[in-house]
Amino acid sequence: MINKPTHCDIFCTVVDNYGDAGVCWRLARQLADEYGWRLRLWIDDMAPLRQLAPDYAAGPVEVRAWTAPWLATDCADVVIEAFACELPAAYVETMAQRPRPPVWLNLEYLSAENWVAGCHAMSSPHTRLPLLKHFFFPGFTANSGGLLREQDYEARRQAFDAKAFRAEFGLPAAAQDELTISLFSYPNPALPELMRAWAASPRPVRLLRPGSSETPRSSGNLSVHNLPFLPQVRYDELLWACDLNFVRGEDSFVRAQWAGKPFVWQIYPQAGDAHQAKLDAFLAIHPAGPGLKAFWQAWNGGGTPPWEDFAASLPGLAAPMQQWANELAAGPDLASRLVQFCIERLK
Ligand code: TRH
């Protein structure tokens, strides 16, 4: 009888960009670091991981290439398939051959939509084998799977030295009224107009673009700097160093919330505008007022983002953003909910 799961396999297929690898790596690292689980991360494309975690080979997670055809391997106590990727058929057979089947989880995408609470932790039996798959939904409420957040997050944030960070990347010390902004976005037709608004802004705007290969074009009151694509642990530092963060997708969106600073989310666009419901659902639960909501809607395809109004609302956003982060952080994080979920099923 297994009392404590110690061995976990996470399977990740990289669909595009960094989010699939980013979420899987973050979870794998946390389960290994904080719970002492023996982690294998099976991933079908190493390229994003090399950027997110250049030192991934140093452990504690064992990163394995997910090859086709699949090479037979033993099966873990806990098996996590990320974002409904399909496990190798031979591995599933191995799962079914264990005297006690593993806890099998499908880690889903994050959404603030109401239906998440009803679907989180639901199970579905395998059509042929004696296996049960559970759906694990990240989310913002107590009856969801929660959000990824490391136990040492607050300590790292407290220890962060913004001046040293700026110096390391060759940025001048922040002028008194400067607005430092980070920008991580999908191609966005609203950006050129926003850059014009920044150039014409009465306050100096310093725009930091991690991982950008575009020629930086400073003009008027806008200074643009390209930064390297930072290792994942250091991306938090960039968010802490800025007054306003533009983020996208899933993982950077969550990190911007932990940073407790004003942020603008560009949601991952889906066919048929399916993402709009997801955006609306988050805006409905977020406490920031109409200024932020109008700007976000515009940034996500709803016209020209009203920069002047939004800039005027920024000082008033500091408190609600931090309060939102505090409220979310008061609940258990995703890894601890997941561990608890597995322990209950392996008793
Ligand atoms: O890269 P993303 O757009 O990822 C995705 C994918 O498109 C995925 O298919 C989709 O399903 C998902 O979004 C919703 O955005 P995301 O999720 O923010 O992932 C980016 C990761 O890259 C995140 O872990 C933060 C990290 N990052 C760094 O580590 N350093 C950097 O310099 C930057 C800019 C990001």
Side-chain angles (χ1 to χ4, degrees):
M1 156 97 97
I2 300 163
N3 291 320
K4 185 169 173 270
T6 55
H7 185 187
C8 173
D9 278 336
I10 299 182
F11 286 84
C12 174
T13 51
V14 173
V15 178
D16 59 7
N17 305 329
Y18 300 98
D20 313 287
V23 168
C24 290
W25 174 252
R26 189 180 293 290
L27 174 63
R29 217 169 38 91
Q30 210 186 337
L31 291 173
D33 281 345
E34 296 178 12
Y35 297 91
W37 284 19
R38 196 185 130 212
L39 247 298
R40 288 188 302 196
L41 172 61
W42 299 91
I43 185 161
D44 68 348
D45 179 0
M46 296 290 172
L49 194 59
R50 279 192 208 104
Q51 282 188 272
L52 290 158
D55 62 345
Y56 73 81
V61 174
E62 191 186 333
V63 177
R64 304 281 287 265
W66 179 349
T67 53
W70 176 254
L71 301 172
T73 183
D74 59 322
C75 138
D77 306 314
V78 174
V79 178
I80 302 174
E81 60 180 49
F83 310 126
C85 68
E86 199 180 330
L87 296 184
Y91 186 89
V92 177
E93 294 289 341
T94 315
M95 285 164 66
Q97 280 157 19
R98 279 173 64 115
R100 191 192 172 90
V103 179
W104 182 6
L105 301 176
N106 176 22
L107 176 66
E108 291 282 353
Y109 289 108
L110 170 64
S111 175
E113 289 161 291
N114 282 334
W115 56 262
V116 165
C119 294
H120 173 61
M122 271 178 59
S123 61
S124 150
H126 193 278
T127 48
R128 187 172 50 84
L129 298 167
L131 292 170
L132 199 58
K133 175 154 69 178
H134 299 272
F135 297 91
F136 200 91
F137 278 87
F140 300 89
T141 57
N143 44 16
S144 73
L147 300 168
L148 284 166
R149 186 180 202 265
E150 298 78 12
Q151 282 171 14
D152 66 356
Y153 179 86
E154 193 51 33
R156 287 197 302 119
R157 191 168 79 121
Q158 295 292 337
F160 174 63
D161 180 344
K163 281 199 181 111
F165 181 89
R166 289 180 77 107
E168 180 182 346
F169 293 100
L171 304 168
Q176 214 188 354
D177 58 344
E178 176 183 304
L179 200 56
T180 307
I181 301 176
S182 79
L183 178 67
F184 179 48
S185 70
Y186 304 115
N188 193 323
L191 183 59
E193 187 51 46
L194 191 53
M195 303 266 276
R196 277 192 283 278
W198 286 334
S201 146
R203 292 175 72 175
V205 173
R206 195 167 299 282
L207 182 66
L208 311 182
R209 304 193 67 173
S212 171
S213 52
E214 276 180 41
T215 310
R217 294 193 198 285
S218 301
S219 88
N221 243 352
L222 169 67
S223 312
V224 184
H225 303 257
N226 285 355
L227 259 46
F229 189 91
L230 300 165
Q232 196 180 53
V233 281
R234 299 211 63 196
Y235 180 61
D236 286 326
E237 298 176 28
L238 175 64
L239 301 175
W240 300 329
C242 291
D243 305 299
L244 172 65
N245 295 299
F246 284 71
V247 291
R248 73 185 201 189
E250 177 159 330
D251 192 56
S252 57
F253 165 58
V254 173
R255 304 316 282 186
Q257 292 172 69
W258 295 138
K261 302 272 185 94
F263 69 99
V264 180
W265 182 31
Q266 187 178 13
I267 193 165
Y268 183 76
Q270 288 173 276
D273 277 349
H275 54 276
Q276 189 63 46
K278 209 167 151 177
L279 176 65
D280 292 342
F282 182 75
L283 285 173
I285 61 164
H286 194 275
L292 177 128
K293 296 181 185 193
F295 193 83
W296 281 33
Q297 292 288 9
W299 185 240
N300 282 282
T304 304
W307 173 251
E308 290 309 329
D309 292 351
F310 184 54
S313 75
L314 283 176
L317 285 175
M321 289 294 178
Q322 189 55 59
Q323 196 190 329
W324 173 250
N326 295 347
E327 278 168 24
L328 290 178
D333 65 280
L334 187 145
S336 70
R337 293 187 205 201
L338 188 147
V339 166
Q340 193 54 40
F341 185 89
C342 293
I343 288 173
E344 280 161 19
R345 270 145 201 92
L346 286 166
K347 264 182 201 152

